[in-house]
Amino acid sequence: MNALSELPPVARPPGHRHQPGKDVDSFYHLVGCDLRDRPCDGTACFVAGGGRDAHQPRVYCLGRCFAAPARGLDRARPRIEVHSREPIVLGRLAKGGDGSLASYRSAGGGAALEKALAHEPGEVIGAVEASGLRGRGGAAFPAGRKWAAVAASATPDEKFIVANADEGDPGAYVDRFIMEGDPHALIEGMTLAAYAVGARRGWIYLRHEYPFAKEALDRALAEARAAGLLGDDILGRGFHFDIEVFVGHGSYVCGEETALLRSLAGLRPEPTIRPPYATERGHLGRPTLINNVETLATVPWIVEHGGGAYRALGFAQSRGTKALSLNSLFARPGLYEVEFGMPVRQIVEELGGGLRRGQLKGVIIGGPLAGIIPPHLLDTPLAFEELRAIGAAVGHGGVIAFDETTSIAALVHHVLVFGSYESCGKCTPCRLGSRRLEEIFARPDMPSDEVRELIAALRCASLCGHGTGLGEFADSALRYYGKELEPCWK
Amino acid sequence: MLEVSIDGTRRRFPEGTTILAAARELGIEIPTLCHDERLVPNAACRMCVVEVKGWSRFATACSTQLADGMEIQTASPAVEDARRTMLRLLAAGYPAEAVAAAPEKPFHRLLRSYGADTANDGARPCFTDTQHPYLRVDMAQCIACTRCIRICDEVQGQFVWRAWGRGPETRVLPHGAASLAESECVSCGACADTCPTGAIEDRSVIERGAPETWTRTTCPYCGTGCEMLVGTRRDRIVQVKPVLDAPVSKGHLCVKGRYAFDFVHAPDRATEPMIRESGTWRKVSWPEVVEFVAKRLADIVAKHGADSIGVLGSARGTNEENYLAQKFARVVLGTNNVDCCARVCHAPTAAGMKMTLGTGAATNCFDDIERAATFLICGSNPTENHPIVGARIKQAVLRGAKLIVIDPREIELARYADVHLQLRPGTNVALLNALAHVIIDESLADETALRERVRDFDAFREFVAAWTPERAAAICGVEAAKIREAARLYAQSDAAMCFHGLGTTEHVQGTEGVVCLVNLALLTGNFGRPGTGVNPLRGQNNVQGAAHMGCEPGNLTGFVPIEQGKDVFESVWQAPLPHSRGLNLMEMIDAAGERKLKALWAIGYDVSFTNPNAAVTKAAIEQVDLVIVQDLFFNELAREFGHVFLPACSSFEKDGTFMNSERRVQRVRRAVEPVGQSRADWEIICDVAKAMGHGAQFDFASAEAIWEEVRRVWKAGAGISYARIETHGLQWPCPREDHPGTPILHTESFPIGKTAPLKCIEFHATTEVANEEFPFLLTTGRTLYQFNAGTMTMRTANAQLRGTDTLDIAPADAQRMALRDGQRVRVRSRHGAAVLPVRADSRLKQGELFATFHATDVSLNQLTGPHRDTHVQTPEYKVVAVTLDKI
């Protein structure tokens, strides 16, 4: 294995000859934008009464939903608790760890890498496969299967690891605090992944809205390099790997993996059809393993304790734990690690302590591109298939409760404003349909046939999850809150 | 095979078939907007969504491949509702007048069939461009399908169109420019061709109306052999579009093929026969002119002998016409004095490759571009002169193929090259010998090829041992390290494909330069396999065919030496072949200067304007008693020296075949009636032959009838019938009707045997060297927008894109001499002088100049010299020492 310094620069793949320029920059809305005094336009801030004035550029979620409505950046941490049998992703954070390598190690961090490097890469993949871990970014794809695919893909030169740290779903701030307060978990997870699939370079694609995470990651990466945990000959085992942080320029769709990879390569970040999958042709055309931050931060625990121990946690097809981020309308907002299977009601009423004031009108889990859960469905367990069955989703684990002060038409309008603002414009239903629906939901008399047609086109015909998710959201609003919307129809 | 059901019909399809392709095969039309067969599926417009049983969302038919057992509904109510909804969204804000103006545009037809009304809710400010001579842009009609962006990226490789902004505010604009003219646009028109609305449209259609009739034919410009659809309206060409399933061009054309057709009906098109009497041209009838020509030729034969007459066939004419031209010379006149303009371009290729490999034509096919791992481009500028080949090479390189460019200028492909060997003009042989040296020195030669297919290796090894890269570096002005790098790239590739052009052949060592390229291919085993070979890029539509049909003093049809073909030809022609050695074009000019050439019949060939050393050429032609000019226009030859003018028609006005650079014979078809009294070259030749008493041997009712005779004399083309090349051409050798044609030559053996020889070629420096008196080396060539003598392109709006010749000079030289762009200078060589405007061009090295030769008012050949290739006498157009005088 060549040392990193001997690796050739990564050749740009076919079709990448065009150098990115102002045309690509014009896609993003936060190029060079200072966020210090920006009001947040995210959904948690909206249901808390914020984000209602028109301003440009818009900022969809600063990751401060626990203190919504938020303005500007703040280093304050939310309440962080572990309610699972084992602390997997929030344990160190809950104990107030400072994110340093020393505190990571004193809490047992780093053992997984020591262990893994003494075993074959295939054994690491085996552990991840056995754990039943599914991607935490929203798609819930079995992580082990993805890892095995990248490991198996034949490649002439290189493979890459990319951490999706574009936690864009308004309402989610799980990854933000993992990166700010426990960055070595992500770094160790990426290093394990690199070892498992045979990669030597990794990127963390970090959203522009998380500058504190950038600081924490830079610090942690320097520490890790100094400690021989990154770079050439990691832990003296002849394995080389290093990580770069890439900061985005403001675009929600960059959280979608094909768009993320194009953004990382300097191309216009539109989602593309799959296949080819990133596992075969990912970053710069090379096989690439992309997982989100929480997924990767989970891996050290799995490697250290074994896939079986992880699989023992959770529920049905949803194994292990999930970190949830509760918004400011709860009595006890904050981050909670729970095992899958916990009823949504328990999350809302016990963990969150119910609403601070007023009557619960609904809960949005996993960001606004999934259906609303009305109060009568709160007994649904938190799990991928089970939430899917009621038109909702686990998503990123953001939990936004809203009360009767939020009208459904206004909430749908808010989500559509977000949706059309963040649409990449590639496919017809999303580019034009989201804007058209946004305009309709701003009116007192809405043409119901057209609304239904537009929702159907968005749900069924959009290219990526952005359009389909907008359709799902609007559809669930009509389904569960039809009575409230009735006076709005023309 | 996969079994699927589409709208209830069960059928089996091969793996990899998309739903869209399968449906179309069943005659089921699925609407599309962003789809184009030439592009990678993008699945963006979502019009082609279909329902697949068991899928929670719709599938896009364009991008989804069939899976076994799929049950597909292409027009379920839900799918049709979604399509209607999307079309309504697109229709809102779309200009209604655009739909009314062009109701047959694909998008407009869809709006109609789904009842989606344009609402025109207030015009938004949009990008427009009304200044381009061929394209009109009105982005009010843009539906963001991005076909323009993708075809420019994926087919042409120009990256002109870019998307700006995002979401509903997405806009498509030319990159880094306020108009197309200021952008990198090469006016290929691919964007207008693919645009499903009227956002980017051909101006000709807007100004002259949509075509009523389409005729498939082959492009009349370079030797690539692109197929085109000629759209006519009231017997006028109003639009040309690429043929989607064309084997060479694959749905693409360049600015010349696509747009430069207005010469056909140019106001100064010469359409009446004329005879010059005591200095004055007189219009005459066809019978009169035919009688006149026949009588004068007969008189000259009687008085001075047949060998005092020369006939020049035309690379612009069809195979059939060139066949008749040489048959006329040999049978009617009785002379082998017949040649064509291959003499001044690729005769060295034909000779050099015939000498070494046994066949004087491209060894491989253009489809090998996609199979090659490495390209070696030597003395050729494909993106300007063979733009469709250039675009295909560029795309292959963008996909990862390696590229070596040997050229004195930093041509466009050099910017994509892994190695650019920017050599001094005239030093090809030294450089190519050094490449061979490195290949042998570093043991990179293909041992198997050397053992089984190559001979004379030991002598060759000994010879090139002296050609170290350092030695060549000093001669060529190229770093030795780069020579080594290029040799390694070429030799270590799985399949390396060589293309060469006139930068290789138009030198005193032209033939030998070609042989050096063959040496490299033989050494490395880069022949007889896909993606390899030595491949000339022929300059004109049918220059390959003109010579191959026998417009060659020493060779008969099929490039068969006269002695070898004598029996067959004499029996088919029912006439004896002339015995004397024929004069080639250059020798004819020499003979004219010596008053030995009494008559010259120049068919579609302005030899006065295009031959080098103009002063000497013109003085020679002036001595000829009878100059018969057969052309579309009253060209320089007619104006200055003509005695008889025979108005010919263009390839748009007649039937026949052309032969492209890769040995492919393709159909040419009449799209418009002959203009005025003009006639096809073959009809004129037949009439003169009849008038000279050879009616029986020239009794042809059609181009096809001539072709049938060609098949009888040309063994390698015997299998090519008109019926077989109705849609796709065939590549010879194709000896039988059941033979599939031959894309790749020399797979098992060479026509000269199992092995081919390596040849030791000593380098001889040209006498055209820079010195104090003539401090610059000038090299010449074409531009993208103009073609050769400018006869055709100068009469089209291409002249607005590039109107005259320029003298390109390194910016540092221009600065040193205080020359501004556009400033006219007198360029002097040892042979003459010409005046033309200067253009600073960073693609040139200091001390070197480049000039085009298209403009008659510049007449650049006043500068070029008398030096010729030592084997076939091709002139040394590519290097001449000059000096510049300010005026």
Side-chain angles (χ1 to χ4, degrees), chain B residues 719-733:
Chain B
I720 304 173
S721 67
Y722 272 31
R724 288 189 71 193
I725 57 172
E726 193 53 38
T727 55
H728 291 69
L730 280 167
Q731 287 171 278
W732 60 262

Side-chain angles (χ1 to χ4, degrees), chain B residues 363-365 368-369 371-374 490 493-499 521 524-535 744-745:
Chain B
T363 59
N364 288 59
C365 57
D368 275 5
I369 291 171
R371 300 175 186 126
T374 299
Y490 180 78
S493 165
D494 291 341
M497 186 170 197
C498 174
F499 286 104
T524 53
N526 278 308
F527 60 89
R529 294 187 289 122
T532 67
V534 178
N535 301 280
I744 303 175
L745 300 177

Side-chain angles (χ1 to χ4, degrees), chain B residues 510-582:
Chain B
T511 303
E512 294 176 339
V514 173
V515 171
C516 288
L517 288 172
V518 172
N519 282 341
L520 295 181
L522 291 175
L523 267 184
T524 53
N526 278 308
F527 60 89
R529 294 187 289 122
T532 67
V534 178
N535 301 280
L537 288 173
R538 307 298 306 252
Q540 304 194 59
N541 56 334
N542 200 34
V543 65
Q544 178 79 49
H548 213 79
M549 287 298 109
C551 286
E552 252 281 324
N555 292 294
L556 298 163
T557 311
F559 228 70
V560 174
I562 292 173
E563 279 320 300
Q564 209 178 302
K566 197 169 185 300
D567 293 346
V568 174
F569 281 80
E570 288 188 341
S571 97
V572 174
W573 287 353
Q574 294 289 299
L577 289 182
H579 297 295
S580 50
R581 191 186 79 84

Side-chain angles (χ1 to χ4, degrees), chain A residues 423-435:
Chain A
S423 168
C424 79
K426 180 171 177 173
C427 76
T428 311
C430 183
R431 180 178 74 250
L432 300 175
S434 61
R435 174 61 56 86

Side-chain angles (χ1 to χ4, degrees), chain B residues 300-340:
Chain B
I300 292 170
V301 170
K303 201 163 160 198
H304 302 285
D307 288 337
S308 68
I309 302 175
V311 175
L312 296 177
S314 177
R316 334 291 300 130
T318 61
N319 290 316
E320 292 77 358
E321 290 165 339
N322 282 287
Y323 171 77
L324 285 195
Q326 58 93 33
K327 183 179 176 185
F328 179 90
R330 290 178 165 124
V331 171
V332 180
L333 299 176
T335 179
N336 283 313
N337 292 350
V338 60
D339 207 357
C340 67

Side-chain angles (χ1 to χ4, degrees), chain B residues 473-491:
Chain B
I475 295 169
C476 308
V478 174
E479 287 167 54
K482 281 194 169 183
I483 298 175
R484 291 200 165 84
E485 196 185 341
R488 290 172 196 143
L489 259 184
Y490 180 78

